[in-house]
Amino acid sequence: MLIKLINPNTTSSMTELMGGAARTVAATGSEIVLATSRSGPASIEGHYDEALSVVGVIDEIVRGEPADAYIIGCFGDPGLLAAREITTSPVLGIAESAMHAATFVATSFSIVTTLERTRIISEHLVRSYGMQNHCRRVRATDVPVLDLEKPGSNADAAILAECEKALMEDHAGAIVLGCAGMASLAARLQQRLGVPVIDCVAAAVKFAEALVGMGLRTSKVGDLAFPLPKAYAGKLSDYAPTSLRLHNSQSLAGPATSVRS
Ligand code: 2AL
């Protein structure tokens, strides 16, 4: 099966990093195709960044070979429901995937993320995914997203310190790493901390494989139906639903587009 992992920020080194995490867990027969957004912010650290990253996510869903599943590789899950409207293939957010994975291996988790402002955004996601009963706390490290890749930044130490506080102070049973740029840290932290540490990208890959394997596709009944045809004005005229090239618009009863396993 073909899984397209979309980095909604424009930093290709971060795409490669998450690609490594995805391919480490992908099943034989799963092909991970990486895409870096061609427009928008270098990193996503606020509501404005998120809103403007969505066009790049949409571009990556409508262009190229159709995928059996799409993953939005940013912990804010930008454009998740909009993306689900334009395809029948499952679309997974890495934050929702990681939170759900955590609930299978612990009765509580804390999220360790980047900046204070993204901490607040993650709290919104906890509420919108109905995870309040599971999430003990969302913790910020004050590490900017792009510092996660900078040699010599104290990112790793700051993340470890916040994870330790999550265990000591929140009594969390598991840790969710709240940024795609933390994908390479999960295994080492898990060994060090002795609790499940969930890498959001890996969780999304495994859930994507599961959904495709079960023959499940995004419902086109109700609010995830294809967008209604209408004109879009100005800079966004090319994104009018009638202008979008929707490849996966076949009936839900039809075969999946390219299951190869
Ligand atoms: C992210 C992420 O995963 N990628 C990005 O650019 N910003 N999320 C975050 N919480 O910092």
mmCIF file of all heavy atoms in Angstrom, residues 78-95:
data_model
loop_
_atom_site.group_PDB
_atom_site.id
_atom_site.type_symbol
_atom_site.label_atom_id
_atom_site.label_comp_id
_atom_site.label_asym_id
_atom_site.label_seq_id
_atom_site.Cartn_x
_atom_site.Cartn_y
_atom_site.Cartn_z
ATOM 1 N N PRO A 78 -2.763 20.218 11.081
ATOM 2 C CA PRO A 78 -3.391 21.303 10.319
ATOM 3 C C PRO A 78 -4.162 20.787 9.107
ATOM 4 O O PRO A 78 -3.655 19.969 8.343
ATOM 5 C CB PRO A 78 -2.198 22.169 9.885
ATOM 6 C CG PRO A 78 -1.011 21.261 9.942
ATOM 7 C CD PRO A 78 -1.291 20.273 11.036
ATOM 8 N N GLY A 79 -5.375 21.270 8.978
ATOM 9 C CA GLY A 79 -6.186 20.941 7.799
ATOM 10 C C GLY A 79 -6.725 19.529 7.787
ATOM 11 O O GLY A 79 -7.184 19.047 6.746
ATOM 12 N N LEU A 80 -6.729 18.851 8.931
ATOM 13 C CA LEU A 80 -7.098 17.428 8.948
ATOM 14 C C LEU A 80 -8.500 17.176 8.374
ATOM 15 O O LEU A 80 -8.675 16.327 7.491
ATOM 16 C CB LEU A 80 -7.000 16.895 10.386
ATOM 17 C CG LEU A 80 -7.348 15.428 10.603
ATOM 18 C CD1 LEU A 80 -6.441 14.515 9.787
ATOM 19 C CD2 LEU A 80 -7.237 15.079 12.091
ATOM 20 N N LEU A 81 -9.478 17.915 8.850
ATOM 21 C CA LEU A 81 -10.845 17.635 8.385
ATOM 22 C C LEU A 81 -11.048 18.119 6.948
ATOM 23 O O LEU A 81 -11.769 17.475 6.172
ATOM 24 C CB LEU A 81 -11.867 18.249 9.349
ATOM 25 C CG LEU A 81 -11.880 17.610 10.746
ATOM 26 C CD1 LEU A 81 -12.887 18.314 11.661
ATOM 27 C CD2 LEU A 81 -12.185 16.112 10.685
ATOM 28 N N ALA A 82 -10.384 19.219 6.590
ATOM 29 C CA ALA A 82 -10.468 19.690 5.195
ATOM 30 C C ALA A 82 -9.869 18.634 4.270
ATOM 31 O O ALA A 82 -10.416 18.325 3.199
ATOM 32 C CB ALA A 82 -9.723 21.011 5.044
ATOM 33 N N ALA A 83 -8.745 18.049 4.691
ATOM 34 C CA ALA A 83 -8.099 17.013 3.870
ATOM 35 C C ALA A 83 -9.017 15.805 3.734
ATOM 36 O O ALA A 83 -9.102 15.194 2.663
ATOM 37 C CB ALA A 83 -6.765 16.618 4.501
ATOM 38 N N ARG A 84 -9.703 15.468 4.802
ATOM 39 C CA ARG A 84 -10.610 14.304 4.735
ATOM 40 C C ARG A 84 -11.767 14.543 3.770
ATOM 41 O O ARG A 84 -12.320 13.595 3.222
ATOM 42 C CB ARG A 84 -11.151 13.968 6.133
ATOM 43 C CG ARG A 84 -10.113 13.252 6.960
ATOM 44 C CD ARG A 84 -10.633 12.829 8.316
ATOM 45 N NE ARG A 84 -9.569 12.131 9.024
ATOM 46 C CZ ARG A 84 -9.397 12.128 10.338
ATOM 47 N NH1 ARG A 84 -10.244 12.775 11.126
ATOM 48 N NH2 ARG A 84 -8.399 11.473 10.881
ATOM 49 N N GLU A 85 -12.125 15.823 3.575
ATOM 50 C CA GLU A 85 -13.221 16.114 2.645
ATOM 51 C C GLU A 85 -12.846 15.817 1.198
ATOM 52 O O GLU A 85 -13.714 15.530 0.386
ATOM 53 C CB GLU A 85 -13.630 17.596 2.731
ATOM 54 C CG GLU A 85 -14.486 17.956 3.920
ATOM 55 C CD GLU A 85 -15.001 19.392 3.829
ATOM 56 O OE1 GLU A 85 -15.232 19.892 2.709
ATOM 57 O OE2 GLU A 85 -15.142 20.020 4.891
ATOM 58 N N ILE A 86 -11.558 15.914 0.876
ATOM 59 C CA ILE A 86 -11.199 15.869 -0.559
ATOM 60 C C ILE A 86 -10.674 14.512 -1.011
ATOM 61 O O ILE A 86 -10.159 14.395 -2.123
ATOM 62 C CB ILE A 86 -10.203 16.994 -0.935
ATOM 63 C CG1 ILE A 86 -8.908 16.875 -0.121
ATOM 64 C CG2 ILE A 86 -10.841 18.371 -0.755
ATOM 65 C CD1 ILE A 86 -7.776 17.707 -0.697
ATOM 66 N N THR A 87 -10.777 13.511 -0.178
ATOM 67 C CA THR A 87 -10.339 12.175 -0.598
ATOM 68 C C THR A 87 -11.155 11.117 0.145
ATOM 69 O O THR A 87 -11.685 11.396 1.223
ATOM 70 C CB THR A 87 -8.826 11.970 -0.329
ATOM 71 O OG1 THR A 87 -8.477 10.620 -0.644
ATOM 72 C CG2 THR A 87 -8.447 12.273 1.099
ATOM 73 N N THR A 88 -11.233 9.958 -0.450
ATOM 74 C CA THR A 88 -11.846 8.836 0.280
ATOM 75 C C THR A 88 -10.788 8.024 1.020
ATOM 76 O O THR A 88 -11.119 7.205 1.870
ATOM 77 C CB THR A 88 -12.619 7.896 -0.673
ATOM 78 O OG1 THR A 88 -11.745 7.491 -1.710
ATOM 79 C CG2 THR A 88 -13.843 8.574 -1.244
ATOM 80 N N SER A 89 -9.520 8.207 0.687
ATOM 81 C CA SER A 89 -8.468 7.499 1.416
ATOM 82 C C SER A 89 -8.419 8.023 2.852
ATOM 83 O O SER A 89 -8.647 9.211 3.076
ATOM 84 C CB SER A 89 -7.107 7.749 0.760
ATOM 85 O OG SER A 89 -7.085 7.190 -0.531
ATOM 86 N N PRO A 90 -8.106 7.159 3.817
ATOM 87 C CA PRO A 90 -7.979 7.664 5.182
ATOM 88 C C PRO A 90 -6.896 8.745 5.272
ATOM 89 O O PRO A 90 -5.861 8.646 4.614
ATOM 90 C CB PRO A 90 -7.556 6.420 5.982
ATOM 91 C CG PRO A 90 -7.997 5.257 5.166
ATOM 92 C CD PRO A 90 -7.903 5.703 3.734
ATOM 93 N N VAL A 91 -7.171 9.776 6.062
ATOM 94 C CA VAL A 91 -6.180 10.819 6.354
ATOM 95 C C VAL A 91 -5.988 10.833 7.866
ATOM 96 O O VAL A 91 -6.963 10.938 8.615
ATOM 97 C CB VAL A 91 -6.652 12.216 5.880
ATOM 98 C CG1 VAL A 91 -5.557 13.251 6.140
ATOM 99 C CG2 VAL A 91 -7.039 12.208 4.403
ATOM 100 N N LEU A 92 -4.733 10.703 8.287
ATOM 101 C CA LEU A 92 -4.458 10.661 9.723
ATOM 102 C C LEU A 92 -3.619 11.849 10.153
ATOM 103 O O LEU A 92 -2.661 12.222 9.465
ATOM 104 C CB LEU A 92 -3.702 9.362 10.083
ATOM 105 C CG LEU A 92 -4.597 8.138 9.937
ATOM 106 C CD1 LEU A 92 -4.287 7.400 8.658
ATOM 107 C CD2 LEU A 92 -4.474 7.248 11.135
ATOM 108 N N GLY A 93 -3.978 12.411 11.290
ATOM 109 C CA GLY A 93 -3.146 13.427 11.911
ATOM 110 C C GLY A 93 -2.193 12.727 12.866
ATOM 111 O O GLY A 93 -2.558 11.717 13.486
ATOM 112 N N ILE A 94 -0.986 13.272 13.010
ATOM 113 C CA ILE A 94 -0.033 12.601 13.906
ATOM 114 C C ILE A 94 -0.387 12.830 15.372
ATOM 115 O O ILE A 94 -0.130 11.969 16.208
ATOM 116 C CB ILE A 94 1.437 12.977 13.609
ATOM 117 C CG1 ILE A 94 1.696 14.476 13.741
ATOM 118 C CG2 ILE A 94 1.849 12.465 12.242
ATOM 119 C CD1 ILE A 94 3.184 14.850 13.637
ATOM 120 N N ALA A 95 -0.994 13.960 15.689
ATOM 121 C CA ALA A 95 -1.372 14.195 17.100
ATOM 122 C C ALA A 95 -2.511 13.263 17.503
ATOM 123 O O ALA A 95 -2.440 12.600 18.541
ATOM 124 C CB ALA A 95 -1.765 15.652 17.307
#
